[in-house]
Amino acid sequence: MARALRLAAKGLHTTSPNPRVGCVIVKQGQIIGEGWHERAGQSHAEVIALQAAGANAKGATAYVTLEPCSHFGKTPPCANALIGAGINRVVAAMTDPNPLVSGRGLEKLRAASVEVDVGILADQARELNIGFVSRMERGRPWVRTKLAASLDGKTALMNGASQWITGEDARRDGHRWRARSCAMLTGIGTVLGDDPRLTVHMVNTSRQPVRIVVDSRLDIPLSAQILQGAGTIVATISSDELKAQQLRDAGAEILHLPAWEDKVDLSAVMRELTLRGINEVTVEAGAKLNASLLQAGLVDEIVLYQAPVLLGDAARGLFALPEMLALSEKVELRIHDVRMIGQNVRIIARTQPNHS
């Protein structure tokens, strides 16, 4: 199963909106076939592994990181393929959270007298597809806020200067999060202040994430770098049709959404992304949008890179949260992972259930 998970991870950047899945077929203690799902519409991991195994698959065991599908989508059901090949045992890391599958694949296998085991390395399998699971179980993407800060928790000087607080190793690691994301989200303040591209360019990838700018009043300049290339969505509540058409002419998609306190309703943004099959969203934004997402209960994970530098009290912070008058108002997090990335510390913290 560990081998199957490593194979599944080969599709980390490319399988969206599908889950990342790997399969290893074993007979008499030997691997006779293996495969992984690369892109939506292409063969699933089980089919590729069965093709590699050929007729030798009869009587073998298939280790697969996610319950084999039981429905006709862009490809035929994998459960049928396993049964047809004569596989006599299937070991699945976890059941498929997709309501179209959700146990039906395993039922179909058992009905065909295939032995089924579920739960081997389930936590690792779930982590690999955390966005897909979130979209299926909660009806919204997994939202990751990525931040770079000094040791005293500052993201930029008061004048906005922020390049570069962290080292190149940390920046490259940050691009790995971009590469695995279906979408990058930022706010108009970051676009006006930093003019980012929000593309993946420090690691190799064959797919760029969709880019979304939350821009209530359509203040985005037509020269903004984030508008260059395909796949930019501007979420707004503005009725300025002239500016909207200019942005469309520049290649952007304008997404008119409901307002919440005179700003774009961030929950509506997530609902729209869910409808588009977006599994993982990485946020690279300023303190205001970071705080708004957190207060709306839309942040699941914070990835914070801390550099061994100090920027002082006057520098800009991470989250523009309102003043707290009691410690009971604090936002509680769970530390998920801590490690060194070059000379920077990377902390991954997850929000508690009431903030997710």
Side-chain angles (χ1 to χ4, degrees):
M1 187 62 77
R3 172 65 182 165
L5 284 165
R6 287 195 295 273
L7 289 169
K10 289 177 177 288
L12 194 66
H13 302 170
T14 56
T15 62
S16 178
N18 289 354
R20 301 138 181 161
V21 183
C23 179
V24 175
I25 298 176
V26 176
K27 191 172 186 179
Q28 297 176 344
Q30 299 294 316
I31 293 175
I32 59 171
E34 59 184 28
W36 52 280
H37 180 51
E38 184 175 358
R39 293 181 189 277
Q42 296 184 7
S43 295
H44 288 190
E46 299 95 319
V47 172
I48 296 170
L50 287 170
Q51 289 172 345
N56 204 22
K58 186 175 178 63
T61 296
Y63 293 84
V64 61
T65 59
L66 188 69
E67 172 187 359
C69 61
S70 59
H71 66 294
F72 284 87
K74 292 183 178 179
T75 58
C78 290
N80 292 10
L82 292 164
I83 294 166
I87 293 288
N88 69 2
R89 180 177 179 230
V90 171
V91 181
M94 61 179 287
T95 56
D96 192 331
N98 186 345
L100 294 174
V101 184
S102 196
R104 293 181 182 88
L106 301 178
E107 289 172 10
K108 182 174 282 191
L109 291 167
R110 291 189 178 107
S113 300
V114 176
E115 182 184 348
V116 173
D117 292 300
V118 185
I120 305 298
L121 299 184
D123 290 344
Q124 291 90 327
R126 189 178 180 92
E127 282 291 323
L128 185 63
N129 283 309
I130 198 162
F132 179 77
V133 171
S134 175
R135 183 164 63 86
M136 291 297 158
E137 291 185 347
R138 303 187 303 171
R140 73 167 179 82
W142 180 264
V143 179
R144 175 184 301 113
T145 298
K146 185 171 75 65
L147 298 153
S150 61
L151 206 58
D152 51 349
K154 303 299 182 178
T155 62
L157 299 180
M158 183 57 76
N159 63 14
S162 62
Q163 295 184 332
W164 298 101
I165 293 175
T166 55
E168 187 173 339
D169 289 337
R171 296 199 298 277
R172 183 175 293 107
D173 190 67
H175 276 255
R176 294 190 183 100
W177 293 111
R178 286 187 183 184
R180 69 173 285 168
S181 301
C182 308
M184 298 294 301
L185 179 72
T186 194
I188 185 59
T190 298
V191 172
L192 294 175
D194 297 342
D195 195 21
R197 283 181 289 170
L198 290 190
T199 55
V200 183
H201 53 269
M202 291 187 78
V203 297
N204 292 325
T205 182
S206 60
R207 174 194 63 92
Q208 290 288 341
V210 174
R211 294 168 293 174
I212 305 127
V213 181
V214 179
D215 181 7
S216 298
R217 298 189 300 270
L218 288 184
D219 290 328
I220 185 170
L222 297 174
S223 60
Q225 288 196 100
I226 202 167
L227 297 176
Q228 296 174 12
T232 300
I233 298 170
V234 180
T236 189
I237 59 174
S238 171
S239 57
D240 185 345
E241 186 53 36
L242 176 60
K243 181 64 176 288
Q245 189 55 51
Q246 290 174 328
L247 289 166
R248 291 189 193 100
D249 292 342
E253 177 185 350
I254 306 303
L255 186 59
H256 291 282
L257 291 174
W260 176 262
E261 296 182 350
D262 296 325
K263 295 180 181 179
V264 172
D265 184 342
L266 297 173
S267 293
V269 174
M270 296 306 164
R271 285 193 295 271
E272 179 64 29
L273 295 182
T274 300
L275 292 173
R276 296 174 184 232
I278 299 293
N279 293 329
E280 294 183 29
V281 177
T282 293
V283 179
E284 292 190 26
K288 289 182 180 179
L289 182 55
N290 288 338
S292 295
L293 287 163
L294 191 66
Q295 289 176 298
L298 296 174
V299 175
D300 299 303
E301 183 172 76
I302 296 168
V303 178
L304 172 63
Y305 299 90
Q306 282 194 294
V309 298
L310 301 172
L311 297 183
D313 281 352
R316 299 181 184 181
L318 297 163
F319 294 89
L321 293 168
E323 181 184 1
M324 298 178 190
L325 301 177
L327 281 175
S328 58
E329 299 175 46
K330 65 184 180 294
V331 178
E332 295 194 23
L333 306 170
R334 291 176 293 109
I335 299 298
H336 180 71
D337 183 77
V338 180
R339 66 185 64 191
M340 294 294 295
I341 306 290
Q343 285 299 302
N344 305 127
V345 179
R346 189 189 73 187
I347 300 169
I348 300 178
R350 291 184 173 171
T351 52
Q352 300 290 5
N354 61 322
H355 286 97
S356 63

